[in-house]
Amino acid sequence: YQNQTGMASCIPCEVGRFQDALGQSTCKQCIPGTYQDENGKSACKDCQVGSYQTQSGTSSCTLCGTGSFQNTTGKTFCYNCEEGKYQNATGTSSCKKCEAGTFQNETGKSSCKPTEPGSFQDEIGKSVFKYCEVGTYQDDYQKTVCKNCSVGNFQGNTGKASCDECLMGTFQNETGKSTCKPCEAGTFQNETGKTFCHKCEKGKYQNVTGTLS
């Protein structure tokens, strides 16, 4: 361009500007979503994937921050990562799925949340966790499975971090159970957390189930 009369040459457009026509006295600003980092150019460049630009007349674009992405060129914004995904790097064109054992129920995040005791997640890219079922428990964080209650124990509720001992008068000789078994007639159990019942001694009897003696 040239903004004065009687000059022997023209002036190159500065960075952030361009001129695509002949015989002009000014340069045009690059529009939002574009940039120009060189002098004397007839066009601007689109912001690359993973970047954006909201202002006019700039010489560079801004990288998308963590928790966001942009998969198209020439844009003025970045998208937030959706639920079940995250992005811990800048300037990216996509988000990552949450790994098994984690979840994310918010958008625009740079990490996923670990499952807490009493819960698990065995799938990737999820926005919620799953509760441990009856007969199972989980006492740790970021897990993909729950553990079966051991023999002598039970759990009748979902989402628990531990199992309960079988009460006196009951037993459980199997794993992963939601209840304990009452001692049969002729047997008893006077301790908790047991896998069997005692038989009545000689000279004694018991005609009721689930007794302590």
Side-chain angles (χ1 to χ4, degrees):
Y1 77 105
Q2 182 51 262
N3 57 3
Q4 296 180 353
T5 60
M7 303 303 291
S9 63
C10 292
I11 306 168
C13 291
E14 298 175 352
V15 293
R17 296 173 178 268
F18 74 104
Q19 184 49 261
D20 56 355
L22 298 173
Q24 300 300 307
S25 60
T26 61
C27 291
K28 305 172 184 177
Q29 286 189 337
C30 293
I31 64 173
T34 68
Y35 73 105
Q36 182 51 260
D37 55 354
E38 298 179 89
N39 294 319
K41 295 300 178 179
S42 61
C44 294
K45 305 172 184 177
D46 283 342
C47 291
Q48 297 300 301
V49 293
S51 68
Y52 71 103
Q53 182 52 259
T54 60
Q55 298 180 339
S56 301
T58 62
S59 60
S60 64
C61 295
T62 304
L63 295 178
C64 294
T66 58
S68 67
F69 73 102
Q70 180 51 260
N71 57 3
T72 308
T73 60
K75 293 299 180 180
T76 60
F77 62 93
C78 294
Y79 297 102
N80 279 336
C81 293
E82 59 190 37
E83 293 180 0
K85 295 183 178 182
Y86 74 104
Q87 182 52 260
N88 57 352
T90 60
T92 63
S93 60
S94 64
C95 294
K96 306 171 186 177
K97 291 183 177 180
C98 292
E99 299 174 356
T102 70
F103 70 101
Q104 183 50 264
N105 56 359
E106 299 178 88
T107 61
K109 295 300 179 181
S110 60
S111 63
C112 295
K113 302 174 182 178
T115 58
E116 296 187 355
S119 67
F120 73 105
Q121 181 51 264
D122 57 350
E123 300 178 89
I124 63 173
K126 294 301 178 181
S127 61
V128 295
F129 57 84
K130 301 176 182 178
Y131 285 114
C132 293
E133 298 178 355
V134 295
T136 69
Y137 74 103
Q138 180 52 260
D139 56 355
D140 206 352
Y141 294 83
Q142 198 167 330
K143 293 300 178 180
T144 60
V145 294
C146 293
K147 307 170 186 176
N148 282 334
C149 293
S150 60
V151 292
N153 293 269
F154 75 103
Q155 183 49 262
N157 297 307
T158 60
K160 294 299 180 180
S162 62
C163 295
D164 299 320
E165 289 188 337
C166 291
L167 301 176
M168 290 187 289
T170 68
F171 74 102
Q172 183 52 264
N173 56 0
E174 298 177 274
T175 62
K177 294 302 178 180
S178 61
T179 60
C180 294
K181 306 171 185 178
C183 292
E184 298 178 352
T187 67
F188 71 98
Q189 181 52 262
N190 57 1
E191 296 180 88
T192 60
K194 294 302 179 179
T195 62
F196 64 94
C197 293
H198 300 285
K199 292 181 179 180
C200 292
E201 300 173 358
K202 292 180 180 180
K204 295 182 179 181
Y205 75 100
Q206 181 51 263
N207 60 357
V208 180
T209 60
T211 62
L212 316 184
S213 60

